[in-house]
Amino acid sequence: MADPQAAVITQLRNIQGRTGQTIDGLLAAVRATGLAKHGERRSWLMEQFKLGYGDANTVASFLDKPLPDLSGDAPAALPAVHEGDPLDAIYAGAKAHLRPLHDTVMRAIAGLGPCELAPKKTYISLRRKKQFAMLGPATKDLLELGLNAKSLPPHPRLKAMPPGGMCPYAVRLGSAGEVDEALVGWLRAAYDAAG
């Protein structure tokens, strides 16, 4: 089972990397505003530092709590790889060999700009103002990238999903070579539409 504390540490590190501010610095900035309500603090962080709802909510929740140790040299754009990393649970056992492909897709996503990474039990959710993609193992040999975009041009690799789901499109990936210009274009469309 994924360690929730590890997920929070990863999220806080990612926030530092995207904003160029320490969490202590963000908290000091919020305190300086004099805002008393959690929702007001969250909204201020979203407006001033362009944080997503979840990231701003997490930062605001630490105003009256001690911060976990955020030291380490994990890259800001990718979730930290350490014991208890939620991605370790997702890419365990027969799916472990898919982790490098996951990291290749995440590097392409990092090139689009800042986003919030929210690991779930079997996949990672990627958000701006709203979710724009989901990434996780589909089978022991393939990743599935869900894309939340209103309309993408037909393509043999792009599968339209049934209406009402989180992502109207999905792409199955089996090799780093499939993280190509077409895939990055679909990701860009979903990323731009999310906020």
Side-chain angles (χ1 to χ4, degrees):
M1 182 172 197
D3 176 7
Q5 180 70 6
V8 169
I9 289 170
T10 297
Q11 182 182 22
L12 292 172
R13 286 179 179 164
N14 288 338
I15 292 167
Q16 290 182 144
R18 285 192 296 271
T19 63
Q21 303 280 328
T22 65
I23 298 301
D24 282 327
L26 292 171
L27 293 173
V30 172
R31 284 187 193 99
T33 67
L35 296 171
K37 293 184 178 178
H38 180 85
E40 293 172 335
R41 293 168 171 172
R42 179 183 57 230
S43 295
W44 185 84
L45 283 162
M46 291 170 70
E47 182 179 313
Q48 295 300 312
F49 293 96
K50 306 301 182 218
L51 292 175
Y53 180 94
D55 284 348
N57 195 57
T58 298
V59 172
S61 72
F62 276 101
L63 273 160
D64 302 318
K65 292 189 221 172
L67 278 174
D69 180 13
L70 300 177
S71 62
D73 56 1
L78 295 174
V81 179
H82 54 80
E83 187 176 337
D85 185 338
L87 292 177
D88 288 344
I90 293 171
Y91 294 99
K95 297 175 184 172
H97 70 283
L98 291 172
R99 180 68 182 265
L101 179 54
H102 171 97
D103 291 344
T104 298
V105 176
M106 291 304 298
R107 280 190 289 278
I109 291 168
L112 300 174
C115 67
E116 177 185 340
L117 308 177
K120 307 299 183 192
K121 187 174 180 179
T122 59
Y123 65 94
I124 185 168
S125 171
L126 299 120
R127 301 181 52 85
R128 292 185 75 203
K129 288 184 181 175
K130 64 179 185 173
Q131 179 173 275
F132 68 90
M134 299 165 50
L135 179 64
T139 70
K140 68 179 182 67
D141 295 318
L142 296 172
L143 289 184
E144 184 166 88
L145 176 65
L147 298 162
N148 188 8
K150 290 204 184 264
S151 124
L152 295 174
H155 191 281
R157 290 173 48 204
L158 194 60
K159 179 181 177 186
M161 303 303 286
M166 295 288 286
C167 293
Y169 299 95
V171 179
R172 296 245 170 139
L173 304 165
S175 73
E178 293 172 299
V179 184
D180 58 9
E181 188 176 319
L183 185 78
V184 172
W186 300 327
L187 278 165
R188 170 58 71 190
Y191 181 88
D192 290 347

